[in-house]
Amino acid sequence: MDSDTAWSICNLLQKLARNGQAILCTIHQPSGVLLQMFDKLLILSEGQSLYFGDVGFRGETMIGYFERHGAPKCGAEANPAEWILDLVGKYPDVQGALDWAKIWRESEERSKIRQEIQKLEADIMRVPVSKSRSGNSKYATSWLKQLFLVTALVNGFSFWKAPNTLQGIQNQIFSLFILLVIFSTQVQLVVVRFTENRTLYELRERPSRTYSWTVFILSNVLAEIPSHTILAVLTFLLWYYPLGTWRNALELGQLNERAGLTFLLVWSFLVFTQTFPQMVMTIMPDAPTGINIANLLYLFCLLFCG
């Protein structure tokens, strides 16, 4: 890019840094004016650190370090960036060249930086870790867990011990329908989070070949199974027993079998609410489209019993 564009970009980055945004970028052959806009500089050569520290006004701090360790003087009219490139571009086996990687490893500046890093690590370890996943949330649990608990409680106790009459059977079926309607709310939460993760994967992990698409999908599914298993246990206890459907199994002597089967159905449904939206979103361009298509397909499942 031309010098004006580079200046504009660096000026924007400097404004962001002054407002608290951490900026990390790679620069290649900058001018002396652009170089002094950066606070700190890390010089690498073939994977080895040659210098890390402040740049200083007109690069004086950085230039002073190299000159103290045997580098030739940098002229007043010289570009500090080009001077550094010429200096570190020579291989150590070339006559007159210095091993700047070794010099940096043995330097006092590197020791001070390591001490500062150790101090920061010690300070972080002393900070108490919050047990809440939501950080500064004013609620004890996440919004999703609140939804499941309240839905199960209200649903189960609204039809407390529904009898085996015609009205009681209708209440039991309607209670089951209310439980299944959770999907429409769950899909909105899952789709938005999955879309954000997919965008991040397509921009960062896939170009760098950090991991494959199948690993990304499986990790999203497996990471949610433990939490949905816990929610399935709570939903089952707060819905199945208050509703009173267990009495039907008691009369037939199948209490354990039907209770276990009902729990598996609740668990599979909660896992379905997590995996089905992700499956739909793998081919959808954006979150609103994915939410509408997933709800439409789920409506078909309710109308045609799966």
Side-chain angles (χ1 to χ4, degrees):
M1 65 181 70
D2 58 87
S3 58
D4 291 337
T5 304
W7 168 263
S8 300
I9 293 176
C10 290
N11 193 29
L12 174 61
L13 295 178
Q14 195 175 53
K15 290 180 180 179
L16 293 174
R18 289 173 179 173
N19 287 274
Q21 178 66 48
I23 304 296
L24 176 65
C25 60
T26 304
I27 56 177
H28 179 65
Q29 292 184 336
S31 64
V33 177
L34 293 180
L35 184 63
Q36 68 179 8
M37 296 180 70
F38 293 90
D39 298 323
K40 291 184 179 295
L41 182 67
L42 171 62
I43 302 177
L44 298 173
S45 178
E46 298 183 352
Q48 300 186 61
S49 300
L50 307 184
Y51 174 77
F52 176 67
D54 296 332
V55 177
F57 180 69
R58 296 182 179 178
E60 293 177 353
T61 304
M62 175 188 62
I63 294 173
Y65 164 79
F66 285 98
E67 290 181 346
R68 287 195 307 271
H69 291 85
K73 294 291 183 178
C74 179
E77 302 298 328
N79 181 359
E82 296 180 356
W83 179 78
I84 290 293
L85 290 176
D86 294 338
L87 186 65
V88 303
K90 298 178 181 179
Y91 292 97
D93 54 353
V94 177
Q95 184 178 5
L98 298 175
D99 189 352
W100 292 108
K102 181 180 179 181
I103 294 175
W104 170 251
R105 288 193 299 267
E106 299 173 353
S107 65
E108 182 181 355
E109 288 81 358
R110 181 177 182 272
S111 300
K112 291 181 179 179
I113 291 176
R114 291 190 62 86
Q115 292 175 3
E116 184 178 353
I117 293 175
Q118 293 174 359
K119 181 179 180 298
L120 292 175
E121 292 176 347
D123 293 341
I124 294 176
M125 295 298 294
R126 287 195 293 266
V127 176
V129 179
S130 175
K131 297 182 179 180
S132 174
R133 291 184 60 186
S134 55
N136 57 354
S137 174
K138 59 183 178 181
Y139 300 104
T141 60
S142 64
W143 186 89
L144 182 60
K145 188 174 181 179
Q146 296 175 41
L147 173 66
F148 275 105
L149 293 179
V150 173
T151 302
L153 281 171
V154 174
N155 190 7
F157 288 96
S158 295
F159 305 98
W160 175 260
K161 293 183 179 180
N164 290 332
T165 61
L166 179 61
Q167 182 62 48
I169 297 299
Q170 290 180 352
N171 291 341
Q172 293 178 16
I173 295 175
F174 184 65
S175 176
L176 178 61
F177 175 78
I178 293 176
L179 183 65
L180 298 178
V181 171
I182 292 178
F183 178 86
S184 61
T185 304
Q186 171 81 341
V187 67
Q188 299 182 41
L189 302 175
V190 174
V191 165
V192 174
R193 177 62 62 84
F194 182 82
T195 304
E196 295 175 352
N197 293 338
R198 185 184 68 177
T199 303
L200 185 62
Y201 168 79
E202 292 176 346
L203 294 177
R204 188 176 65 184
E205 275 74 18
R206 187 169 68 178
S208 61
R209 300 186 182 275
T210 304
Y211 49 81
S212 64
W213 172 255
T214 55
V215 172
F216 168 73
I217 295 296
L218 288 176
S219 62
N220 278 273
V221 174
L222 296 177
E224 297 295 337
I225 288 181
S227 61
H228 280 72
T229 301
I230 297 175
L231 290 175
V233 173
L234 297 176
T235 302
F236 169 74
L237 295 176
L238 297 176
W239 172 75
Y240 179 72
Y241 289 103
L243 186 61
T245 53
W246 56 273
R247 291 179 299 171
N248 302 334
L250 187 62
E251 295 176 357
L252 299 176
Q254 300 177 348
L255 180 61
N256 296 331
E257 293 85 349
R258 291 199 177 187
L261 179 60
T262 303
F263 170 75
L264 290 178
L265 291 174
V266 173
W267 179 80
S268 61
F269 169 70
L270 294 182
V271 174
F272 172 78
T273 60
Q274 173 68 26
T275 56
F276 183 75
Q278 294 188 31
M279 181 195 71
V280 174
M281 275 308 301
T282 55
I283 59 175
M284 293 297 148
D286 49 53
T289 304
I291 292 174
N292 293 332
I293 297 299
N295 282 324
L296 178 62
L297 295 177
Y298 182 67
L299 179 62
F300 289 157
C301 292
L302 293 180
L303 293 177
F304 299 103
C305 298

